[in-house]
Amino acid sequence: MNEVLIATNNAGKAKDFEALFKPFGIRVLTLKDLEEEIDVEETGTTFEENAILKAETVAKQLDKLVIADDSGLEIDALSGAPGVYSARYAGLEKNDDANIDKALKELQGVAEADRTARFRCVLAVAGPGVETVTFSGSCEGLILEERRGTNGFGYDPIFYLPEKRCSMAELSPEEKGEISHRGAALDKLKEHLPVLLGKGRVE
């Protein structure tokens, strides 16, 4: 095995994986490196289902080791919404500002103590001769009543971190990486990489 494909078009995500696989001499590819476009319809009802669906579908088509992720925001007062619909909460155009506006509107009148939420990320690893496995990470916080900060993307401006006393969008990329849901999932994947690459499966 000398290549792994990350099922994403996001260059930022690709860099995280490049750092992870570099010590093993493994080249990291993304969907942008492929000649043909692969579009997997996310029909799952959970982050796990969508991540596995993407990883297994692409791995089967390319006969390569593939890592896919699905992530989003869960707001307790909204029964876990937007959840798997986080990117398209306000419509299929996937507009961050529209998604934030909808979440804030639905939380109007909800007390601060009841605005608990978390970012969740699930990574799925699939490929020839590999038993599909998943690694998950989460980051707990509260939903603000208005935007704060200009860094990050998605719901970061309204996601408040009590221990940091700031929103996710007020952190530097490095600070965010240390506490983020994706960072936590990546750490778990990193622990299992030697086993995964050496035996073809994770115990």
Side-chain angles (χ1 to χ4, degrees):
M1 184 191 306
N2 57 9
E3 290 183 343
V4 59
L5 185 128
I6 313 304
T8 183
N9 288 301
N10 186 313
K13 288 184 185 180
K15 287 182 179 179
D16 290 337
F17 288 100
E18 284 172 1
L20 198 63
F21 282 96
K22 188 175 181 180
F24 298 94
I26 295 175
R27 181 184 176 210
V28 171
L29 304 174
T30 69
L31 294 177
K32 286 188 175 181
D33 297 309
L34 303 179
E35 292 183 3
E36 58 180 297
E37 185 175 331
I38 297 180
D39 186 24
V40 181
E41 188 176 357
E42 298 178 21
T43 56
T45 58
T46 66
F47 296 121
E48 287 85 357
E49 288 178 3
N50 280 333
I52 290 171
L53 180 64
K54 285 188 282 187
E56 291 186 342
T57 301
V58 178
K60 188 174 182 180
Q61 289 187 39
L62 302 177
D63 197 34
K64 288 182 182 292
L65 183 70
V66 173
I67 300 176
D69 86 307
D70 197 37
S71 56
L73 177 68
E74 297 174 335
I75 301 174
D76 294 324
L78 301 181
S79 301
V84 294
Y85 304 105
S86 292
R88 53 192 188 279
Y89 194 40
L92 294 178
E93 65 276 8
K94 299 182 179 182
N95 183 283
D96 286 349
D97 282 327
N99 289 337
I100 288 176
D101 288 340
K102 181 176 180 178
L104 292 179
K105 183 177 181 180
E106 293 189 350
L107 286 172
Q108 282 182 351
V110 176
E112 179 181 337
D114 297 323
R115 298 171 76 94
T116 51
R118 70 204 50 80
F119 278 123
R120 282 234 304 130
C121 172
V122 176
L123 298 173
V125 184
V130 175
E131 180 182 348
T132 301
V133 289
T134 61
F135 305 92
S136 62
S138 62
C139 180
E140 300 287 332
L142 298 167
I143 302 301
L144 295 164
E145 294 185 1
E146 59 184 22
R147 294 167 174 80
R148 282 178 53 176
T150 56
N151 295 330
F153 58 92
Y155 298 89
D156 287 356
I158 60 169
F159 191 83
Y160 183 74
L161 300 157
E163 72 278 11
K164 295 286 187 180
R165 297 184 179 181
C166 67
S167 76
M168 189 77 88
E170 292 176 300
L171 297 177
S172 68
E174 293 75 21
E175 290 172 322
K176 178 181 175 180
E178 291 176 359
I179 65 164
S180 76
H181 50 308
R182 183 168 291 106
L186 278 168
D187 284 343
K188 292 179 182 178
L189 170 60
K190 184 177 181 179
E191 291 177 9
H192 286 268
L193 268 186
V195 178
L196 177 65
L197 300 176
K199 296 183 180 179
R201 60 179 291 169
V202 174
E203 301 297 340

